[in-house]
Amino acid sequence: MNILLVIAFTLAVYGVFKINNIKLLEMAEDIIQSTIRDSKSIQALIVSTSLTEKRKGVFSNVQQIFDETRLILSVTNRSGLFPTLCLASVGLLFVGLAIGGITNNPFLALVLSGGLSLIPFWFVKLSENNYQNELNDELETALSIITTSYIRNNNISKAIEENLHHINPPVQGIFETFLVETKYISSSIPDALLRLSTRINNTIFEEWCLELIACQDNRNLKHTLPDIVGKFGNVRMVNGTLGVDIYEPLRELLITSGILLCFPVMIYMLNADWFYVLTNVWIGKFTMACQVLVVFIGINAGIRITKPITYERQ
């Protein structure tokens, strides 16, 4: 009976949207645009999504997940995918409510609706790791060829301009901005380099820019630039050595969570009366909801700490 009610409700909602010619994707885009805050700077679009500000509360954590997802999609040129992710999240939310309704467990419905709705954003968060590795590779290539040219001609603007066509997005965009600033806005190279260092949240890149600023007063310091660029290779080597080990905690967490979710089946096989209490008595229903909640909290924490090795300056 509960399944029929869920199907009837779903068809009724679909019919209302169909009759009124309401397009879900367009509606989602309008809602998202109305909730987006002030336009992001170039630094915010390039910056890593590991936000350092500590936020408290469930709603703040959810808002942080949305902000991180939007930034990841922005820097990977997939901003148009965000409304689709939101629709998928809403769809999974209703799936969680439906499962809770079918099992006549309101606690489980609440937990499942919240946990399942985060799955699309978790996938995007995991894709950030690949993006960070690709960004480091592109930065290593760009800084290497620019450094070689700068050591030869002692002119950073000329070094960037003659190698700009070898650089790929998103790194290409920040160097194009640097050239525009030095040509048409201000001729102060140190100030332009200081602004350049803030456009990518990368410690090695920032150190390279600051060393370039020092080179404007002492040209002999330019020979230290290749050593700084070489740190990208060290980071790549460490990540290559660790490889799958980076994802080992998350994999073990998923295996443990799977075992935990099989707990009701094991209870049923051991004692049918216990299974009846677990699925029909309020205390049992609450216990199942807490069990699923622990799984979602663990997976969310595991995804947040799963990230590639980065260089940290002491």
Side-chain angles (χ1 to χ4, degrees):
M1 185 62 183
N2 290 330
I3 298 177
L4 294 178
L5 291 176
V6 171
I7 295 176
F9 175 76
T10 304
L11 292 176
V13 172
Y14 174 78
V16 170
F17 280 94
K18 193 68 175 178
I19 292 174
N20 294 277
N21 196 25
I22 299 176
K23 297 181 179 180
L24 292 178
L25 191 59
E26 294 180 357
M27 184 178 68
E29 290 178 350
D30 293 337
I31 295 174
I32 292 168
Q33 291 298 327
S34 65
T35 58
I36 291 179
R37 301 172 183 175
D38 296 336
S39 59
K40 304 290 183 181
S41 63
I42 296 177
Q43 177 186 0
L45 295 177
I46 302 298
V47 72
S48 166
T49 57
S50 301
L51 303 179
T52 56
E53 181 182 1
K54 300 296 183 182
R55 302 179 181 181
K56 298 180 179 180
V58 176
F59 294 104
S60 296
N61 290 333
V62 172
Q63 181 63 46
Q64 182 178 355
I65 292 175
F66 288 162
D67 291 342
E68 290 176 349
T69 303
R70 189 180 294 116
L71 284 176
I72 294 171
L73 294 177
S74 296
V75 297
T76 54
N77 297 321
R78 296 181 296 170
S79 299
L81 188 60
F82 189 73
T84 304
L85 288 176
C86 292
L87 287 178
S89 176
V90 172
L92 290 173
L93 183 146
F94 281 110
V95 169
L97 292 175
I99 295 175
I102 293 173
T103 58
N104 194 25
N105 189 337
F107 305 115
L108 185 62
L110 181 63
V111 173
L112 282 177
S113 61
L116 293 179
S117 64
L118 295 177
I119 291 179
F121 303 102
W122 286 342
F123 277 109
V124 175
K125 179 66 177 176
L126 287 175
S127 71
E128 179 197 9
N129 297 338
N130 294 330
Y131 167 75
Q132 289 292 345
N133 290 330
E134 293 175 0
L135 179 62
N136 285 342
D137 292 342
E138 187 57 40
L139 278 174
E140 181 181 9
T141 301
L143 299 189
S144 178
I145 59 178
I146 291 174
T147 298
T148 301
S149 296
Y150 176 68
I151 291 176
R152 185 184 69 252
N153 58 31
N154 291 323
N155 188 323
I156 185 61
S157 296
K158 184 178 180 181
I160 293 176
E161 187 173 7
E162 67 184 16
N163 292 288
L164 192 60
H165 61 284
H166 295 302
I167 305 174
N168 299 320
V171 179
Q172 184 185 52
I174 65 170
F175 285 115
E176 288 177 344
T177 304
F178 172 83
L179 292 177
V180 170
E181 289 179 351
T182 54
K183 285 184 178 180
Y184 304 108
I185 299 177
S186 173
S187 59
S188 176
I189 298 297
D191 291 343
L193 287 172
L194 185 61
R195 290 190 293 270
L196 178 67
S197 67
T198 64
R199 293 193 174 106
I200 293 183
N201 186 24
N202 184 283
T203 305
I204 303 176
F205 176 74
E206 180 182 356
E207 183 180 354
W208 182 81
C209 293
L210 295 179
E211 192 68 17
L212 269 177
I213 294 175
C215 290
Q216 305 309 304
D217 296 325
N218 186 354
R219 299 292 184 183
N220 293 326
L221 293 176
K222 65 183 181 181
H223 298 289
T224 63
L225 294 175
D227 294 332
I228 297 177
V229 178
K231 294 178 181 179
F232 282 110
N234 296 333
V235 172
R236 186 179 66 255
M237 182 179 62
V238 172
N239 280 309
T241 302
L242 293 177
V244 184
D245 292 339
I246 297 175
Y247 296 91
E248 185 66 26
L250 180 60
R251 185 168 60 251
E252 293 182 355
L253 176 62
L254 292 176
I255 294 174
T256 305
S257 300
I259 296 174
L260 183 60
L261 291 177
C262 293
F263 175 74
V265 178
M266 292 185 289
I267 291 294
Y268 177 78
M269 297 176 63
L270 290 173
N271 192 311
D273 293 335
W274 294 353
F275 181 77
Y276 176 83
V277 172
L278 190 64
T279 56
N280 292 278
V281 180
W282 286 108
I283 186 64
K285 294 178 180 180
F286 182 74
T287 301
M288 288 190 63
C290 291
Q291 173 185 336
V292 177
L293 178 62
V294 169
V295 170
F296 283 132
I297 292 176
I299 293 176
N300 183 66
I303 290 175
R304 295 185 65 85
I305 65 174
T306 301
K307 57 183 65 178
I309 303 299
T310 57
Y311 175 81
E312 296 292 340
R313 186 171 53 187
Q314 299 296 330

